[in-house]
Amino acid sequence: GESVGLHLPTLSVQEGDNSIINCAYSNSASDYFIWYKQESGKGPQFIIDIRSNMDKRQGQRVTVLLNKTVKHLSLQIAATQPGDSAVYFCAERGTDSWGKLQFGAGTQVVVTP
Amino acid sequence: EAQVTQNPRYLITVTGKKLTVTCSQNMNHEYMSWYRQDPGLGLRQIYYSMNVEVTDKGDVPEGYKVSRKEKRNFPLILESPSPNQTSLYFCASSLTGASNEQFFGPGTRLTVL
């Protein structure tokens, strides 16, 4: 499989603990914010999204928080498992161009036993 | 199995030799997109297509061409590859251009010498 050589921020988390992955975005006009997970050797996989008129959204074991005042997005993973080891990307989409998606640089999450 | 396929998975070529990377999806998705992934830069969008015969530039379209003659296929063409196009390429599709959940292919590792 394929993966990208990494010079990414790394978050080391002990199995069972909660993880918090942060993302700063730049475009105040973005309408949707999306989190993707990329496991080694695979393409990114959708996790969860949040619209700009919300400040919190929950999924299965994940919560996304949006703070528009400081242009900050976070992904919280509850009870982190070894299968959560991956690179996590935030992405944003504006209303002026539905088809365009802009990704952040990513955060490497390493789950230790 | 619902999936996005890309071919080839690995390709080494020389500067100036035209090449095509194919992308196909079997989910009847309207929207398709190409990204390149480079260390520390996340994924950058090259081109996208909202539907058949409709294509638009992403953030890094220079040096690339695309076509969308059929719903299922979205080939990426490099007319005259250069070493700065050495990268990991991903194709993705989604139900519509308004969908945040994109389904990614396995990636194509391209090296241009």
Side-chain angles (χ1 to χ4, degrees):
Chain A
E2 280 303 313
S3 62
V4 181
L6 305 171
H7 299 282
L8 299 173
T10 299
L11 177 66
S12 186
V13 182
Q14 196 155 14
E15 184 177 354
D17 287 353
N18 296 335
S19 305
I20 300 176
I21 306 161
N22 297 305
C23 177
Y25 64 91
S26 56
N27 187 355
S28 303
S30 292
D31 193 35
Y32 278 97
F33 300 90
I34 309 141
W35 282 99
Y36 278 86
K37 171 187 179 182
Q38 186 177 25
E39 296 176 32
S40 181
K42 296 183 179 180
Q45 183 179 12
F46 174 88
I47 303 172
I48 192 169
D49 62 358
I50 187 169
R51 194 162 190 181
S52 59
N53 61 357
M54 302 170 68
D55 52 22
K56 180 179 180 179
R57 189 169 186 213
Q58 289 184 290
Q60 188 176 10
R61 268 199 320 120
V62 296
T63 301
V64 57
L65 299 177
L66 177 62
N67 184 332
K68 293 181 286 295
T69 303
V70 295
K71 296 183 185 176
H72 183 266
L73 186 69
S74 69
L75 179 71
Q76 300 178 4
I77 305 174
T80 309
Q81 302 169 358
D84 295 326
S85 291
V87 177
Y88 290 80
F89 294 97
C90 63
E92 51 187 300
R93 192 155 67 87
T95 52
D96 57 338
S97 182
W98 280 106
K100 288 188 115 175
L101 197 62
Q102 293 190 311
F103 283 79
T107 297
Q108 173 85 56
V109 172
V110 177
V111 181
T112 58
Chain B
E1 180 190 354
Q3 60 183 346
V4 178
T5 56
Q6 297 178 225
N7 282 292
R9 294 290 313 281
Y10 305 90
L11 179 61
I12 300 174
T13 189
V14 295
T15 299
K17 187 176 181 181
K18 181 180 178 180
L19 66 92
T20 299
V21 184
T22 65
C23 173
S24 183
Q25 50 91 7
N26 62 0
M27 296 171 279
N28 201 35
H29 284 173
E30 290 184 353
Y31 177 91
M32 297 185 76
S33 183
W34 275 103
Y35 299 88
R36 60 177 289 173
Q37 186 173 29
D38 302 289
L41 295 178
L43 289 98
R44 292 180 293 167
Q45 194 172 34
I46 303 171
Y47 271 95
Y48 63 95
S49 170
M50 298 290 274
N51 214 325
V52 176
E53 301 290 2
V54 180
T55 62
D56 283 291
K57 296 178 180 178
D59 290 326
V60 289
E62 295 78 19
Y64 304 95
K65 285 176 60 176
V66 293
S67 68
R68 188 90 183 275
K69 294 184 171 59
E70 308 162 279
K71 200 171 190 179
R72 64 181 295 127
N73 296 322
F74 190 44
L76 180 69
I77 303 154
L78 284 72
E79 295 267 3
S80 182
S82 62
N84 65 11
Q85 293 178 298
T86 291
S87 188
L88 179 59
Y89 290 86
F90 287 101
C91 179
S93 74
S94 63
L95 191 61
T96 69
S99 306
N100 288 325
E101 182 174 8
Q102 294 191 14
F103 296 83
F104 282 78
T108 295
R109 169 70 72 183
L110 173 65
T111 301
V112 183
L113 302 175

